[in-house]
Amino acid sequence: MAAIIGVGDTNMGKIPNITSIEFQALAAREAIFDAGISKDEIDGVITAYSLTEPHPMPSSYLAEYLGLEPNFNTTVQLGGASGCSAVGLAAAVIQAGYCKNVLISFGENRLSGLGRSGAIEKLSNFGHQQFEALYGATIPSFYSMIATKYMETFEIDQLDLAKISVLHRDNAMLHPKAHMKKKLTVEEIMKSKVIAKPLHLYDCAVISDGGSALIMTSSENAENYKNKPIYILGYGEKTTHEHISQKEGLLSFGATTSGKTAFQKAGISPKDIDVALLYDCFTITVLILLEDLGFCEKGEAVKWLREGKLNLGGSLPINPHGGLLSHGQPGPSGGLNHVIEAIRQLRGQADKRQVPNAKLALVHGNGGMLSAQSTLILGGEKA
């Protein structure tokens, strides 16, 4: 078993004159300090891809930048699933005995380095060159297809999606490092620009600059450090496709498998989870993931939303930090921020957004067009 002993993150937002590698270094420094270890004790490095850095070996570049000579280093490229996947990978490396202390550090200046239009242009290249890109398809348009199918099948409307954005903004207003802190209403969302019908501007993740990092070690070694260890109780991963044109059906995805695996490994069920961190690149993914992960039956997630079960104070609070929709999405670091929020919740360090008596957290990452799915179960006590 492995454990997380240190976390660090920067402010999220438009932060000019800081490069992606500098965001990673700033977050790493905070995580190292939080863990109470020496930089020289790190012998493993994992990072993620960047759309703004030209380096073909990002993890080696980060290690060099930090003055490290790790026994193991690699770069994870699973889109929004990268954060959870990196934690699962680090746990496996530690358990295999290759490393003692692993640094995971993601960061990108996606907003100031590319701008919103530049980021959209880069991401538009993700479509299948023969069956998708030729027709001008973009990532929002792929998710709009999924949203349209879901909404028609389960008879929900755009007001429900807007309520998801409002929930995330309300949570982000409680986080000191969040990108978006201005109050948001359903009316403002409905009047905002349509990006890809039925998705409005505020149904989409906010592009940000920022970085996040954490330190992992073995569960036995974790007890020697200052912080309460947060243990990796279960992990599951599943990829069903890369391009949405190759996916059969648009109502259920690989989270059904990754979630089931993670719960089985942890020896618990969805009803045991106190707080859920769900990848929210678009509002529609929240509803789909709640159902695929087994929290409720297909078509029932919107009922949970309407009844307030997903709010702070509800029976299953989601994304207390504000998620990608409001806390920010600096590339793959956005998914790692979900892990960091789970750590702080389980440590009891989330201040005004703290979920009372949070003992078990689920963190889920989604990469691509609901393509790659990764699920973590975290807890403050050993299994």
Side-chain angles (χ1 to χ4, degrees):
M1 184 186 295
I4 299 168
I5 57 171
V7 297
D9 59 339
T10 71
N11 288 325
M12 302 290 140
K14 188 170 185 178
I15 309 172
N17 304 317
I18 299 180
T19 65
S20 294
I21 195 69
E22 289 171 331
F23 276 118
Q24 293 167 33
L26 288 168
R29 180 176 66 179
E30 185 174 312
I32 291 168
F33 178 80
D34 183 58
I37 68 172
S38 164
K39 182 189 71 166
D40 296 332
E41 294 180 72
I42 297 171
D43 55 2
V45 174
I46 300 176
T47 189
Y49 67 96
S50 170
L51 298 182
T52 61
E53 289 284 356
H55 303 282
M57 299 170 59
S59 58
S60 297
Y61 180 43
L62 176 61
E64 178 184 75
Y65 191 90
L66 296 176
L68 303 174
E69 296 183 1
N71 299 330
F72 176 89
N73 80 97
T74 194
T75 299
V76 181
Q77 298 191 355
L78 279 181
S82 298
C84 290
S85 180
V87 173
L89 177 60
V93 168
I94 290 167
Q95 289 170 357
Y98 294 117
C99 297
K100 181 179 179 181
N101 299 308
V102 176
L103 165 69
I104 300 173
S105 188
F106 294 2
E108 191 172 53
N109 61 335
R110 184 166 289 190
L111 180 55
S112 60
L114 293 175
R116 188 173 185 85
S117 60
I120 291 171
E121 181 180 356
K122 285 263 189 180
L123 294 171
S124 67
N125 295 324
F126 282 37
H128 194 291
Q129 293 302 303
Q130 182 177 1
F131 301 119
E132 297 171 358
L134 287 174
Y135 304 99
T138 63
I139 290 179
S141 69
F142 295 134
Y143 276 90
S144 74
M145 292 168 53
I146 296 167
T148 299
K149 179 64 175 177
Y150 185 94
M151 292 167 71
E152 289 178 350
T153 302
F154 299 116
E155 298 182 351
I156 74 168
D157 58 37
Q158 290 177 312
L159 291 174
D160 291 310
L161 296 183
K163 290 174 185 176
I164 296 173
S165 293
V166 169
L167 180 158
H168 283 76
R169 183 61 61 88
D170 287 346
N171 290 351
M173 290 170 64
L174 301 175
H175 196 298
K177 294 183 178 181
H179 186 163
M180 295 295 184
K181 298 176 183 176
K182 181 182 177 182
K183 182 71 176 176
L184 185 64
T185 67
V186 168
E187 292 72 25
E188 287 177 296
I189 296 167
M190 298 304 294
K191 291 179 181 179
S192 67
K193 180 181 179 180
V194 175
I195 303 301
K197 189 177 179 180
L199 302 175
H200 288 250
L201 175 65
Y202 295 108
D203 288 306
C204 310
V206 57
I207 296 172
S208 312
D209 301 326
S212 50
L214 53 84
I215 304 290
M216 290 180 59
T217 191
S218 69
S219 57
E220 295 78 16
N221 192 43
E223 298 173 359
N224 298 322
Y225 293 106
K226 66 176 184 178
N227 284 322
K228 172 185 176 180
I230 303 301
Y231 299 98
I232 315 303
L233 304 181
Y235 177 71
E237 189 173 308
K238 181 70 173 180
T239 296
T240 53
H241 62 286
E242 165 62 7
H243 301 99
I244 199 67
S245 60
Q246 309 304 303
K247 174 71 170 69
E248 184 176 351
L250 297 178
L251 294 178
S252 187
F253 298 86
T256 56
T257 300
S258 66
K260 183 177 180 180
T261 301
F263 281 118
Q264 286 179 340
K265 294 285 186 182
I268 63 171
S269 70
K271 63 179 176 58
D272 297 313
I273 296 298
D274 299 306
V275 58
L277 286 299
L278 305 177
Y279 201 81
D280 54 312
C281 50
F282 297 90
T283 48
I284 189 62
T285 63
V286 173
L287 301 179
I288 290 173
L289 293 176
L290 279 167
E291 295 165 359
D292 280 2
L293 290 166
F295 288 108
C296 53
E297 297 297 322
K298 271 295 170 188
E300 289 188 358
V302 70
K303 182 180 178 182
W304 283 39
L305 171 69
R306 292 168 180 170
E307 293 177 351
K309 290 183 178 181
L310 308 180
N311 298 343
L312 287 176
S315 58
L316 183 69
I318 63 167
N319 301 344
H321 64 315
L324 308 176
L325 290 167
S326 281
H327 181 263
Q329 188 193 28
S333 184
L336 195 61
N337 282 335
H338 281 62
V339 181
I340 289 174
E341 178 64 14
I343 301 305
R344 289 183 171 140
Q345 289 287 338
L346 295 174
R347 284 181 177 179
Q349 298 175 340
D351 300 323
K352 294 180 181 179
R353 63 188 190 280
Q354 179 67 50
V355 175
N357 302 312
K359 294 181 173 58
L360 291 169
L362 176 142
V363 190
H364 185 84
N366 157 56
M369 272 49 74
L370 281 161
S371 310
Q373 307 296 323
S374 54
T375 310
L376 278 172
I377 306 292
L378 306 176
E381 302 293 337
K382 292 183 181 180

